[in-house]
Amino acid sequence: MIIAVDGPTASGKGTIAQALAAHYRLPHLDTGLLYRAVGRQVFLDGGSPDDPGDALAATSFPESLLSDTELRSEAAGGLASRVSVHPAVREALFERQRSFAVQPGGAVLDGRDIGTVIAPDAEVKLFVTASVEARALRRWKEMQLRGEPHTLAEIEADLRRRDERDRTRAEAPLKAAKDAVILDTSELNREESIAAAIALVEAKLRG
Ligand code: DC
């Protein structure tokens, strides 16, 4: 079974995807991390995330970069959003994601285009969303814990910028697949979001 979990930053999709993977004993791929690694590699190379050539070159990042904690920073998220607009970057990362999705036994993937591009054949597609205010507050709390001193207003402005870029890019924009189930987590805490996601998957599997 392939479970596709898409949605904007800080919607709770990563937490939900991880929990679904544990619940159904499936391997999980956070595809945002791949784009974050490309963004971080461009930065380390001294290139520009807006230059398609620089961004494409950075898709050959070393595997060790994926465990760099810096990838979770706001800066890496911003760079990821910028490199992800280039079709050549998306193409370069496609095969890795596709083969993860179709591995025997199934998988859970989370990102922006899993249900639409990477695994349009997924048995279950969730589109996890939340209000920008709720997402900014979550992000702000996370950043506080990481010791990244950003104000709530800065985070909200950054989220809006990133949402706009992810939604309006020409290639594989962030949007719910036609057959995706929408899960709004604005009013839900972590446990409630996970329970709601499992209930939706169960309902979908029962047909
Ligand atoms: O989910 P995230 O915040 O880690 O993603 C970072 C950026 O990567 C996001 O702004 C857009 C891009 N991304 C993408 O274009 N496609 C995906 N499947 C996953 C992430």
Side-chain angles (χ1 to χ4, degrees):
M1 162 171 71
I2 303 177
I3 303 181
V5 184
D6 289 303
T9 302
S11 57
K13 67 178 188 316
T15 304
I16 287 174
Q18 257 175 29
L20 289 175
H23 186 81
Y24 293 104
R25 296 177 199 279
L26 293 170
H28 167 230
L29 181 65
D30 168 3
T31 64
L33 208 56
L34 304 176
Y35 290 93
R36 285 170 181 263
V38 176
R40 177 87 182 133
Q41 187 62 47
V42 169
F43 171 80
L44 294 172
D45 292 344
S48 163
D50 305 318
D51 180 86
D54 287 358
L56 178 62
T59 59
S60 346
F61 58 81
E63 285 302 298
S64 57
L65 189 58
L66 291 173
S67 37
D68 183 345
T69 53
E70 187 52 37
L71 294 191
R72 302 278 170 198
S73 69
E74 280 300 285
L79 288 168
S81 177
R82 286 161 71 184
V83 296
S84 71
V85 305
H86 305 302
V89 167
R90 309 199 67 84
E91 208 179 300
L93 298 179
F94 178 85
E95 202 44 52
R96 178 176 190 150
Q97 298 173 81
R98 180 68 192 161
S99 42
F100 192 93
V102 300
Q103 66 185 289
V108 180
L109 290 87
D110 73 90
R112 301 289 186 293
D113 62 341
I114 308 304
T116 49
V117 176
I118 304 296
D121 49 345
E123 282 84 351
V124 182
K125 298 180 187 178
L126 294 185
F127 191 83
V128 183
T129 185
S131 69
V132 71
E133 293 80 10
R135 293 189 287 125
L137 192 60
R138 281 180 200 156
R139 200 68 191 191
W140 179 77
K141 286 183 184 158
E142 264 175 46
M143 291 297 122
Q144 293 287 102
L145 288 177
R146 286 177 53 93
E148 283 196 48
H150 294 287
T151 65
L152 188 57
E154 275 169 359
I155 295 194
E156 191 175 317
D158 184 60
L159 277 184
R160 286 185 192 279
R161 249 195 318 275
R162 255 204 265 170
D163 282 359
E164 176 69 11
R165 197 185 297 124
D166 292 351
R167 287 201 173 107
T168 57
R169 67 177 178 228
E171 188 87 2
L174 167 68
K175 66 165 194 263
K178 281 197 191 71
D179 48 349
V181 186
I182 312 285
L183 172 55
D184 189 325
T185 65
S186 304
E187 307 289 329
L188 306 180
N189 66 26
R190 187 177 190 279
E191 285 65 38
E192 291 165 339
S193 303
I194 292 170
I198 293 175
L200 288 176
V201 175
E202 289 298 315
K204 183 82 192 176
L205 292 179
R206 280 195 306 270

